[in-house]
Amino acid sequence: SDWSSDVCSSDLKNQAELALLAVARGRAVLLEKPLAEDGEGARRVADAVDRAGVGSIMALTYRFNPVVREFLRKAADFDAAGARASFLSGAFLAGRFEGTWREQYGALLDVGPHLLDLVEAAMGPFAAIQGQTSTTGWTSLVAGHQSGAVSDLSICCHAAITPSRTEIEVFGPGGSLSVNAREGRERSFSVLRTEFAETARRGGGHPLDARHGVAVQQWVDAAMAATRTPEGHDPVETF
């Protein structure tokens, strides 16, 4: 994960190119989010992984947090009408990412994969995404789900708050479920290392493999397309 973060800190293209080289040599790959610069690049990596039969895991670190996994287990049986979710931090205020792709493309491409992935896991497949990004770096998304439910997502890396927030709350006739995804997050990395080692040994897939990374890239691309329109809400991207 540290390796992939360093590789991707300056150029999104590097990860896809290096992943293709590693896979060609029969190596399992631990992949940073987003998988590539765009959907086409993501599919190239996933296709290569499938052909080689090697293991792969996306470093969607919150999904390896036992606290989040327990929330998702409960959400699977919850009758949800809608949800609200946020990923808010001051990461872009300290200059740490100055001159990198993270600053160039913004929070939606940087941390959007985390939040979109968590919301889809909790609420089910997306049907459409609408959105708008402010000139000050705040992105608001409205995601429709195939179930008919709707989720509201807020993303910003220019918010001077401590601690940062990665939260989801799901509402329905039976009440609500919520999770602070940063609670217990330090445990995510040991789980990630263990599952990557197991996946590397046996080869083949994992629920959060490169193919899942293609789906995440599709959601992010749709959100970015929606927020680029002047009206902020048209067109609606469908899946």
Side-chain angles (χ1 to χ4, degrees):
S1 179
D2 291 341
W3 169 82
S4 60
S5 295
D6 290 342
V7 167
C8 287
S9 64
S10 61
D11 190 344
L12 273 176
K13 296 178 181 178
N14 285 349
Q15 170 167 255
E17 293 171 355
L18 292 175
L20 291 172
L21 289 174
V23 168
R25 296 174 183 175
R27 305 293 186 181
V29 284
L30 178 59
L31 300 158
E32 177 65 288
K33 52 73 199 165
L35 180 52
E37 191 176 20
D38 53 33
E40 181 181 354
R43 284 188 291 273
R44 285 178 59 214
V45 174
D47 289 346
V49 167
D50 289 345
R51 286 194 301 269
V54 298
S56 65
I57 285 184
M58 296 294 301
L60 294 161
T61 50
Y62 293 99
R63 292 289 296 277
F64 296 88
N65 182 347
V67 173
V68 172
R69 287 184 169 182
E70 176 61 16
F71 165 77
L72 293 177
R73 184 190 66 79
K74 294 177 180 177
D77 297 321
F78 188 81
D79 183 13
R84 61 184 181 187
S86 63
F87 193 121
L88 307 175
S89 82
F92 288 0
L93 297 176
R96 176 184 174 191
F97 300 118
E98 185 175 357
T100 68
W101 67 264
R102 299 174 194 274
E103 182 183 55
Q104 177 186 354
Y105 290 101
L108 183 52
L109 191 64
D110 183 13
V111 303
H114 282 306
L115 197 63
L116 286 161
D117 174 63
L118 287 172
V119 169
E120 196 272 348
M123 298 291 291
F126 292 119
I129 294 178
Q130 302 173 336
Q132 189 165 356
T133 295
S134 74
T135 57
T136 53
W138 185 283
T139 295
S140 293
L141 302 176
V142 178
H145 299 269
Q146 292 180 14
S147 65
V150 175
S151 298
D152 298 314
L153 291 73
S154 300
I155 300 169
C156 185
C157 287
H158 289 87
I161 58 171
T162 302
S164 299
R165 300 178 190 173
T166 307
E167 303 169 331
I168 304 177
E169 191 166 12
V170 179
F171 301 87
S176 65
L177 296 173
S178 64
V179 65
N180 173 1
R182 292 182 180 268
E183 180 183 343
R185 185 169 180 255
E186 65 280 359
R187 298 163 62 191
S188 302
F189 301 99
S190 61
V191 176
L192 173 57
R193 286 193 295 269
T194 297
E195 294 190 10
F196 179 65
E198 293 171 350
T199 301
R201 282 194 295 268
R202 71 168 186 269
H206 181 279
L208 301 174
D209 62 7
R211 187 58 60 185
H212 181 72
V214 175
V216 174
Q217 192 97 32
Q218 182 182 20
W219 307 332
V220 174
D221 287 352
M224 292 187 71
T227 58
R228 279 196 296 265
T229 61
E231 298 82 1
H233 61 271
D234 191 23
V236 175
E237 300 289 333
T238 57
F239 303 95

